[in-house]
Amino acid sequence: MAMAQGVGHQVGQVVAPGGVPLFLTDGYKDDRTAILTHCGSWGQPRRRQATGPAPKPRWRPRPQLLYAQVIKTVRRRRLVRVRHRVVFGTLEAVQQGLAACGWQIKTAFVERLNLSLRQHVAALGRRVTTLCKGEDGLGQQLALYHVYDNLVLPHASLRQPLPQPLPTHGMGSAKQWRPSTPAMAAGLTNHVWTLREVLLFRVPPGPQPAGL
């Protein structure tokens, strides 16, 4: 629950003011509570009787909140069934929101990210004799991987076609694609960084406490 609440808090910090994201997760039960905590509001229930005390306000999901789950059934380590469950909103509203990007209800993106993390950060996949003996060491390795993944590692799904194919040395085929990283796709940089550039980059100092 603490991890789910932390993720929900981080998502809420990067959402535009007044905006409500569309969530797609697996069937983990604590995700529903975390999403409702950060994307809910107080509402007054309707009266069921003409007399008696008024019902107390309740914490309810916002009307524009959309949340769907991907429920997978595994038997003997084999996937035998996949079904979708809409928790908040309607199936039509969820599909319409995803159709704008050409997507469907799935969790492939976060599963791909988890696999990439395990492949590049050994401590997430198995116990190792490195600097990840505590939470601080693991956090530092994850921070370094995030920088490497966003600035140094080109993503095949983000590559851009070249106006004209460029010849290569030898008998190889002409180069037809320009490599691109997530930072380039986001407009934060105009080239693929090297690991040397990352390690030698001088980070600007952050805001200093008053009185220093």
Side-chain angles (χ1 to χ4, degrees):
M1 174 60 75
M3 295 177 64
Q5 291 284 5
V7 173
H9 179 68
Q10 292 178 0
V11 172
Q13 289 181 323
V14 299
V15 174
V20 179
L22 188 159
F23 291 94
L24 300 176
T25 71
D26 56 9
Y28 188 59
K29 61 180 182 179
D30 288 338
D31 288 338
R32 180 183 184 276
T33 303
I35 292 173
L36 185 59
T37 300
H38 295 87
C39 298
S41 60
W42 290 103
Q44 185 66 39
R46 295 182 180 179
R47 278 181 172 270
R48 296 185 177 181
Q49 298 178 353
T51 60
K56 296 181 179 180
R58 295 182 179 179
W59 187 261
R60 293 182 170 182
R62 297 183 185 179
Q64 63 271 36
L65 176 60
L66 300 176
Y67 173 36
Q69 294 179 337
V70 179
I71 310 299
K72 297 181 179 181
T73 303
V74 179
R75 294 177 182 174
R76 296 182 180 180
R77 298 184 179 181
R78 297 186 62 181
L79 181 64
V80 297
R81 184 184 179 189
V82 178
R83 58 190 179 93
H84 300 151
R85 176 195 301 165
V86 178
V87 182
F88 299 132
T90 63
L91 178 60
E92 293 75 13
V94 173
Q95 291 177 341
Q96 183 178 3
L98 294 174
C101 300
W103 298 343
Q104 299 177 352
I105 299 177
K106 59 182 179 180
T107 56
F109 296 125
V110 68
E111 291 173 359
R112 174 67 255 186
L113 176 61
N114 290 335
L115 178 59
S116 298
L117 286 171
R118 291 189 181 97
Q119 290 177 334
H120 291 85
V121 183
L124 294 177
R126 55 186 174 86
R127 297 185 64 180
V128 294
T129 57
T130 59
L131 300 179
C132 288
K133 295 299 183 181
E135 184 177 350
D136 293 340
L138 180 59
Q140 292 170 2
Q141 287 204 16
L142 287 174
L144 179 60
Y145 166 73
H146 288 156
V147 175
Y148 171 80
D149 184 67
N150 285 282
L151 290 172
V152 180
L153 184 64
H155 290 216
S157 60
L158 299 177
R159 63 182 184 178
Q160 300 293 327
L162 294 174
Q164 296 291 336
L166 298 178
T168 57
H169 298 288
M171 302 297 295
S173 59
K175 184 178 180 181
Q176 300 182 1
W177 300 93
R178 175 176 178 262
S180 179
T181 62
M184 294 173 62
L188 302 178
T189 183
N190 58 2
H191 69 284
V192 178
W193 286 38
T194 64
L195 190 57
R196 178 181 176 85
E197 287 182 276
V198 171
L199 297 177
L200 295 181
F201 180 75
R202 187 181 296 274
V203 180
Q208 300 296 326
L212 294 181

